[in-house]
Amino acid sequence: MVSVNDPSDGLVVGIDSGGSGLRIALAEATSGTVLGTVASREPVRTGPGGISATHFLEQVLPAVTDLRERLAPEVTRRVLAVAVGAAGMATLGDELRAELPGAFAGAWGVRRLALAADAVTAYAGALGQRPGAVVAGGTGMIALGTDLSTWRRADGWGHLLGDCGSGAWIGRAGLEAAMRAYDGRRGGSAALLAGAEKLFGSVAGLPGALYPRTDRPAVLASFAPEVGSCAAAGDPVAAGILARAADHVADAAEAVCPAGSGALVALTGGLFKMGDPLLVPLRAALGERIPHARTVAPAGDPSAGAVTLASALATGTMRLPEDPSLLRLFGDGTPEATASAQVGGGAAGPDEPRGGAETGHRGTDGMRPHLTEQRGGRNQ
């Protein structure tokens, strides 16, 4: 008979929560093989208490129930661990940290839970549990690295204070060059001016249209592909912008990459789909700054990273380090809790995080979103 605690017969749940909604994966505990996924197009709401645990659970609990009933209906197949990666977890995750451990314990009897910043699930998806650095680039930009004992973070400070080299940074620099050309100042680009007018209309009206908007980073980033196109066509100003962006990205990777041979570097996110106009100078900059590190293609996305974390918890193989804001581990399946129990200490209960609780609570009403099921796949 297989023990109910045997991970070989168990399941795990990996959840990726971001600005575009939720992705929920049900997977085999030991292999990480994804049995099926459900996607929600509705982002989890935030309010004065941070990310709403109520709205989160209203989407996740029925979705997982549906997946289990259709994909793994056997009563003996228990959910052994859950991992959640969420945008804003570091600063807005107090309510999730306070309420999710008890909620998952009550719903599924789960006592092993990882709550992570989305940068951590991006790291785990790209590199698994190996030392290195991951740069996640899109509208914004953040770099995260670990030597498996501590985490190091660089940038991710938003378009006003940082996100240097990001899509928003590239787009803003491109629009500045367009405005210089419009004024007849040095450093302008006629090609970028033409591109800006094609996308936004007369650039004379751009400040009035842009400054009042709450989605300024996304608007700025929407011009980054035009900068890439102009650079590919030979515009020296656009090429110079991407060279500076590459330097900024390499600076962030250098700041977080562990020393010594064997470190890996991965680039993940839509920014790097720009191709050679950005990647050629970026590879050169990475080679200069961190010659000891090897650049590799990301093995998976943040959703795969959430499954990686959940599987590691279920099997007792977690190697990524815990951190108060980046990665919190809860329950009786964590290495530290197991060691404590072996020397006579008590493991943390399902509502108690290791390293001190963070509290906060707020209820929010919500409606169940439209869900889209996807089948199959494998976590790397």
Side-chain angles (χ1 to χ4, degrees), residues 230 234-241:
C230 289
D235 182 68
V237 174
I241 290 170

Side-chain angles (χ1 to χ4, degrees), residues 177-261:
M179 302 306 293
R180 286 179 174 273
Y182 180 79
D183 292 341
R185 290 179 287 153
R186 291 175 181 268
S189 164
L192 290 173
L193 175 59
E197 290 178 334
K198 178 180 65 177
L199 192 60
F200 300 110
S202 173
V203 295
L206 187 57
L210 177 63
Y211 292 164
R213 295 185 63 150
T214 58
D215 60 345
R216 285 188 302 273
V219 177
L220 293 171
S222 71
F223 193 61
E226 188 67 28
V227 178
S229 296
C230 289
D235 182 68
V237 174
I241 290 170
L242 295 186
R244 294 197 302 276
D247 284 339
H248 286 310
V249 173
D251 287 343
E254 179 187 21
V256 303
C257 188
S261 61

Side-chain angles (χ1 to χ4, degrees), residues 17-361:
S17 175
S20 59
L22 283 165
R23 288 187 299 167
I24 304 160
L26 186 70
E28 301 277 359
T30 52
S31 68
T33 300
V34 174
L35 302 176
T37 64
V38 172
S40 163
R41 302 187 185 98
E42 182 178 0
V44 178
R45 291 192 291 267
T46 60
I51 303 169
S52 170
T54 299
H55 191 215
F56 179 90
L57 292 167
E58 285 172 347
Q59 299 189 66
V60 168
L61 294 181
V64 173
T65 296
D66 290 345
L67 279 172
R68 292 180 70 191
E69 288 176 351
R70 285 184 278 111
L71 300 174
E74 303 93 334
V75 175
T76 58
R77 305 212 71 185
R78 300 180 58 212
V79 176
L80 302 181
V82 180
V84 178
M89 180 72 79
T91 55
L92 300 172
D94 281 355
E95 188 174 324
L96 296 184
R97 287 185 283 265
E99 298 188 22
L100 293 194
F104 289 144
W108 307 321
V110 173
R111 295 177 60 87
R112 305 177 189 185
L113 170 65
L115 297 181
D118 56 344
V120 172
T121 48
Y123 185 101
L127 294 183
Q129 300 197 84
R130 296 176 291 176
V134 170
V135 181
T139 297
M141 199 280 294
I142 186 171
L144 196 66
T146 183
D147 57 3
L148 303 185
S149 62
T150 59
W151 291 101
R152 297 188 68 178
R153 165 196 167 151
D155 214 335
W157 303 122
H159 75 292
L160 293 178
L161 299 177
D163 285 356
C164 299
S166 68
W169 186 96
I170 292 170
R172 191 213 60 80
L175 289 172
E176 179 190 349
M179 302 306 293
R180 286 179 174 273
Y182 180 79
D183 292 341
R185 290 179 287 153
R186 291 175 181 268
S189 164
L192 290 173
L193 175 59
E197 290 178 334
K198 178 180 65 177
L199 192 60
F200 300 110
S202 173
V203 295
L206 187 57
L210 177 63
Y211 292 164
R213 295 185 63 150
T214 58
D215 60 345
R216 285 188 302 273
V219 177
L220 293 171
S222 71
F223 193 61
E226 188 67 28
V227 178
S229 296
C230 289
D235 182 68
V237 174
I241 290 170
L242 295 186
R244 294 197 302 276
D247 284 339
H248 286 310
V249 173
D251 287 343
E254 179 187 21
V256 303
C257 188
S261 61
L264 303 175
V265 177
L267 308 172
T268 183
L271 175 68
F272 303 110
K273 295 178 181 179
M274 190 175 294
D276 284 350
L278 176 62
L279 293 180
V280 169
L282 178 53
R283 293 189 189 105
L286 289 172
E288 292 174 1
R289 287 166 174 74
I290 43 177
H292 65 280
R294 179 166 60 93
T295 301
V296 297
D301 60 12
S303 180
V307 172
T308 293
L309 295 179
S311 180
L313 274 182
T315 57
T317 58
M318 179 66 74
R319 300 179 64 204
L320 295 177
E322 192 170 4
D323 180 271
S325 61
L326 293 173
L327 177 61
R328 296 285 295 276
L329 306 179
F330 298 75
D332 63 358
T334 59
E336 186 174 301
T338 302
S340 176
Q342 289 174 345
V343 297
D351 299 315
E352 301 175 46
R354 298 186 294 116
E358 297 187 41
T359 60
H361 59 280

